[in-house]
Amino acid sequence: MDRYAVVGNPIAHSRSPQIHAAFARQTGQALRYEALLAPVDGFARTVADFRAHGGRGLNVTVPFKLEAFALATRRTPRAEMAGAVNTLAFEADAILGDNTDGAGLVRDLEANLGLALAGCRILLLGAGGACRGALLPLLASQPAALTIANRSVDKAAALAALFAPEAGAATLDACGFDALAGRRFDLVINATSASLAGALPPLPPGLYAEGALAYDMMYGRGDTPFMAAARADGAARVADGLGMLVEQAAESFTLWRDVRPDTAPVLAELRRQIDGS
Ligand code: NDP
């Protein structure tokens, strides 16, 4: 049976095995998907061993996405621009590296949440790996404007400069949180890791235009601190990143198996489990 896995450290918390097992059942694909704990200094070794024992592909999570980028012998353009790889596919004489996080985000926004990104004014908070991975797919969906705001302004400015050639007709700019005062957005995406520590990026009030969506890449039971603050500040809708997680998994599954799973029942089941936990 073809073997796949998610590799990370830590890994026990990962929901990927459950998601991919559901995809495999649904599409009738005969495969096994495991969780693989790699030593912090043993990523390449763990990957080589998995491949030697029949591994066909891997999802890669914290802290190995940069090492996976380096290990890939060829990369998709979106992985190249993201500077990180979350999906490896083992071919006869090559290792393909892809990054499905940004595509998963866009699919969650457009297909699951029904938001048309074309013409949107988007605010992207953060300038780390998740932000960088989201930029190319977001710009490809032809927003009117995309602003990157980060605590360390120089990192946001560097990303805006790097992605300027990909902006097309969109206005792409970067700033710190204070400089957002008085501006309005249709979509605000929290790609900072502040929620992980129960914290909030210090945003000025009044950022949400009429009908705006606030999206936190983090997920969990109930509202994250960012979602709660966005509601209080007038966001018409809020969403967490569980849909992004399921959609990036579906992108990886499609790359490996050439079959696109139906994500809706898998997302609904995960949501039931998280809300009931
Ligand atoms: P990184 O460590 O690469 O980047 C963290 C970013 O958060 C930096 O821009 C940092 O700012 C900023 N930050 C951290 N703490 C604060 C704070 N208290 N106030 C303001 N800004 C802060 O993390 P990632 O990009 O890898 O991940 C970001 C988030 O996205 C995480 O919550 C992660 O769980 C989530 N994620 C979700 C996915 C999904 O499928 N749903 C997939 C991938 C990520 P500075 O540069 O100033 O340090």
Side-chain angles (χ1 to χ4, degrees), residues 126-130 150-152 155 177 191-194 196 201 217 241 244-245:
N150 193 44
R151 186 172 57 183
S152 315
K155 285 198 213 164
F177 298 132
T192 74
S193 52
L196 293 174
M217 283 195 186
M244 174 178 173
L245 177 76

Side-chain angles (χ1 to χ4, degrees), residues 40-235:
V40 177
D41 62 352
F43 175 71
R45 206 170 58 239
T46 304
V47 173
D49 187 57
F50 182 72
R51 190 181 184 192
H53 289 87
R56 299 285 307 274
L58 285 168
N59 283 130
V60 181
T61 186
V62 177
F64 299 125
K65 289 185 186 182
L66 296 181
E67 280 185 75
F69 181 90
L71 195 70
T73 55
R74 67 187 186 92
R75 293 181 282 263
T76 61
R78 63 190 183 187
E80 210 65 69
M81 283 304 287
V85 155
N86 80 334
T87 306
L88 293 171
F90 302 125
E91 301 168 340
D93 49 8
I95 302 178
L96 173 66
D98 194 8
N99 189 313
T100 64
D101 283 334
L105 168 69
V106 165
R107 206 170 167 92
D108 191 34
L109 289 166
E110 296 202 310
N112 299 338
L113 297 166
L115 186 74
L117 289 170
C120 255
R121 292 163 294 174
I122 302 175
L123 171 59
L124 189 54
L125 303 169
C131 174
R132 185 166 167 175
L135 274 165
L136 191 64
L138 282 175
L139 288 169
S141 59
Q142 299 181 316
L146 197 158
T147 297
I148 308 166
N150 193 44
R151 186 172 57 183
S152 315
V153 185
D154 55 328
K155 285 198 213 164
L159 280 185
L162 182 65
F163 282 85
E166 314 296 332
T171 307
L172 177 62
D173 70 332
C175 63
F177 298 132
D178 288 350
L180 294 169
R183 298 184 62 184
R184 300 274 176 285
F185 299 90
D186 306 302
L187 170 64
V188 180
I189 301 170
N190 182 23
T192 74
S193 52
S195 290
L196 293 174
L200 276 174
L203 300 173
L207 289 178
Y208 296 95
E210 199 183 330
L213 170 67
Y215 189 99
D216 198 347
M217 283 195 186
M218 200 188 107
Y219 56 85
R221 187 174 172 199
D223 282 1
T224 65
F226 174 77
M227 289 160 69
R231 275 189 211 278
D233 194 32

